Amino acid sequence: MLDPEKIFLDKVYEEIKIEPKDWMPDQYRKTLIRQISQHAHSEIVGMLPEANWITRAPTLRRKATLIAKVQDEAGHGLYLYSAAETLNITRDEMLDQLHSGKAKYSSIFNYPTLTWADMGAIGWLVDGAAIMNQVPLCRCSYGPYARAMIRICKEESFHQRQGFEILLTLSKGTEAQRKMAQDAIDRWWWPSIMMFGPNDDASPHSAQSMAWKIKRFSNDELRQKFIDMCAEQVKILRLTLPDEKLKWNEKRNHFDFGEINWKEFWNVVNGNGPCNKERLAARTKAHKDGAWVREAAAAHAEKRKSRAQKAA
């Protein structure tokens, strides 16, 4: 009799996608549910800090593109919830975990958006870090997740360019606009590089996820690539990154950078960031206020099903 675990590992090794009906280890399933649902929650919660600026966008074009971006994030959340549902967890279960605080979302979305320049910094830095994390997920060993990521990454790439263009415009503006852009970069830089998660030696899931080819690169590898990229791009803006230790290292062929404040990172992850309570309260309220829509949709679907059965 064939060993199902050996078949699973052979598929992973040979780059054959694992599909929902395939046998998989329980821990592989649990790891995927944790990662995909966290990713979905991050997309949905991530709509909040940007939606805060839709009514205050400086021009009609800026308003339209910001609305489109927030709509994209909602779509990403739906793709990801659907991918997670193939692992035998319901959307209601995932949302209950989010609203109860059991499930996490990206710590970056617990910071406030204080000025219009924050829309640029989020696009360039936050979406840039997301792309660095997510492009390798297009080759994830789990088929539904990998396929969802292809479209998501294409849209996130547009979001990053949109954010950089906002900062570039501000950097060419008045002295007040340049200062606003610099202030936004100063506030978002360190939270952005924390998005890659703890250092490899402190990450409890990274090694196993890489062995199963859910992830392709370690947290520290992705963080270094992101820092190297941003250190060059910021020169185009003629602005600076808030790290006095940021310096090119000829021997490593990478930029050296300063110490990350992991105390702040874990404080935010554990629910004590500037906007944790505000974000969770907003999501819980939206879910409660939308109950009548879900009930109406379910009733309509049941009615159509009943009619179809009678016609048959």
Side-chain angles (χ1 to χ4, degrees), residues 165-183:
E165 192 267 340
I166 290 173
L167 290 177
L168 185 61
T169 300
L170 291 171
S171 73
K172 295 178 179 178
T174 64
E175 185 61 26
Q177 288 172 325
R178 284 183 54 79
K179 286 182 178 179
M180 182 170 65
Q182 183 62 64
D183 172 67

Side-chain angles (χ1 to χ4, degrees), residues 19 35 38 46 57 186 191 235:
E19 300 296 344
Q35 180 169 330
Q38 179 176 313
D186 290 347
K235 296 175 184 177

Side-chain angles (χ1 to χ4, degrees), residues 38-71:
Q38 179 176 313
H39 191 168
H41 298 328
S42 298
E43 296 284 357
I44 299 300
V45 175
M47 296 164 64
L48 297 172
E50 292 177 302
N52 180 45
W53 276 90
I54 288 174
T55 59
R56 295 179 287 167
T59 67
L60 183 60
R61 182 173 75 88
R62 295 296 191 193
K63 186 189 294 287
T65 52
L66 186 56
I67 289 172
K69 181 183 180 184
V70 172
Q71 287 176 323

Side-chain angles (χ1 to χ4, degrees), residues 298-312:
H300 179 66
E302 187 61 34
K303 192 172 182 180
R304 290 190 63 179
K305 180 180 177 182
S306 178
R307 286 177 178 173
Q309 289 174 340
K310 288 179 181 178

